[in-house]
């Protein structure tokens, strides 16, 4: 996959999180930077229009309320130049962060290859592969999705390299 023109779409939140405390950079972002390094892909960070609370417990509740209605700062305009799209998300309530759905649901995935990476604290891939297949019509969603424990994101570089 190293030679394919790649776009890395990811969501990640800094501040307080489960098992890592307060951090300047989210777990998924750490892993997304590794994916960039090994694919030379372009990074697109999905950002919520209204930032989540810094406090973890408040954020948990906010995320539940945003399911199905999660506005983002900037939409991805065009993915026609890319062959492989990496979709990377923390697990929120068993699936992708709701902003990921907003970012990808209207894109034209016809003929594109999708590879999935989640970061999580126990749920693994959760429902992400099924949920992505439901909204990315015409894409080949590879079955080799990778789940990385968020608190081990920094150490995941060799795993990411091998997976790519
Ligand atoms: C709102 C919210 C919901 C979460 N829900 C789950 C969950 O259902 N299962 C799980 O394993 N981890 C869950 N987590 C933990 C995150 O998936 C994990 O910490 C992840 O690595 C965070 O990535 P980030 O730092 O890139 O945002 C949740 C975290 C948050 C903030």
């Amino acid at each position: 996959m190293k030679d394919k023109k790649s776009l890395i779409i990811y969501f990640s939140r800094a501040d307080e999180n489960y098992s890592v405390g307060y951090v300047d950079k989210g777990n998924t972002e750490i892993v997304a930077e590794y994916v960039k390094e090994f694919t030379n892909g372009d990074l697109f960070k999905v950002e919520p229009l209204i930032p989540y609370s810094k406090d973890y417990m408040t954020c948990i509740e906010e995320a539940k309320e945003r399911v199905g209605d999660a506005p983002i700062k900037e939409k991805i305009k065009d993915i026609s130049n890319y062959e492989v799209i990496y979709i990377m998300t923390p697990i929120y309530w068993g699936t992708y962060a709701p902003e990921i759905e907003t970012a990808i649901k209207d894109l034209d995935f016809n003929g594109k290859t999708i590879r999935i990476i989640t970061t999580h604290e126990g749920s693994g891939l959760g429902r992400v592969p099924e949920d992505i297949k439901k909204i990315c019509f015409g894409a080949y969603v590879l079955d080799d999705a990778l789940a990385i424990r968020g608190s081990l994101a920094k150490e995941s570089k060799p795993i990411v390299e091998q997976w790519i």
Side-chain angles (χ1 to χ4, degrees):
M1 287 288 165
K2 278 188 172 164
D3 303 325
K4 309 246 183 209
K5 180 83 179 129
S6 303
L7 175 65
I8 303 146
I9 299 171
Y10 73 98
F11 177 93
S12 189
R13 175 182 157 274
D15 306 316
E16 190 192 14
N17 209 344
Y18 187 83
S19 169
V20 290
Y22 273 89
V23 290
D24 292 335
K25 188 183 283 189
N27 301 323
T28 315
E29 185 157 312
I30 293 170
V31 183
E33 288 173 357
Y34 296 153
V35 175
K36 179 181 172 59
E37 193 176 323
F38 297 123
T39 60
N40 202 24
D42 295 328
L43 284 173
F44 185 93
K45 182 173 185 175
V46 176
E47 293 188 78
L49 189 61
I50 300 165
Y52 281 102
S53 292
K54 291 181 187 301
D55 167 72
Y56 171 69
M57 291 313 289
T58 313
C59 169
I60 285 274
E61 291 311 315
E62 289 170 344
K64 205 195 291 183
E65 285 160 19
R66 292 184 189 192
V67 172
D69 181 18
I72 56 176
K73 264 193 197 164
E74 191 194 342
K75 294 206 94 180
I76 301 160
K77 286 169 196 77
D78 182 15
I79 57 169
S80 58
N81 284 334
Y82 298 100
E83 291 170 88
V84 183
I85 317 291
Y86 291 85
I87 299 179
M88 303 188 54
T89 180
I91 299 288
Y92 275 14
W93 293 102
T95 188
Y96 41 51
E99 287 76 11
I100 283 285
E101 179 166 327
T102 309
I104 64 177
K105 68 178 178 196
D106 298 323
L107 296 174
D108 179 5
F109 281 99
N110 227 346
K112 305 291 179 196
T113 296
I114 293 181
R115 304 189 79 195
I116 297 165
I117 302 183
T118 68
T119 73
H120 66 97
E121 284 302 336
S123 299
L125 294 171
R127 298 184 303 277
V128 173
E130 304 93 280
D131 288 349
I132 283 185
K133 282 177 195 163
K134 276 186 216 154
I135 54 174
C136 298
F137 307 110
Y140 307 107
V141 182
L142 298 193
D143 284 330
D144 62 354
L146 179 65
I148 292 172
R149 198 168 274 269
S151 47
L152 300 176
K154 279 192 193 126
E155 291 83 52
S156 70
K157 193 170 178 174
I159 296 167
V160 172
E161 181 174 25
Q162 197 185 13
W163 178 81
I164 293 214

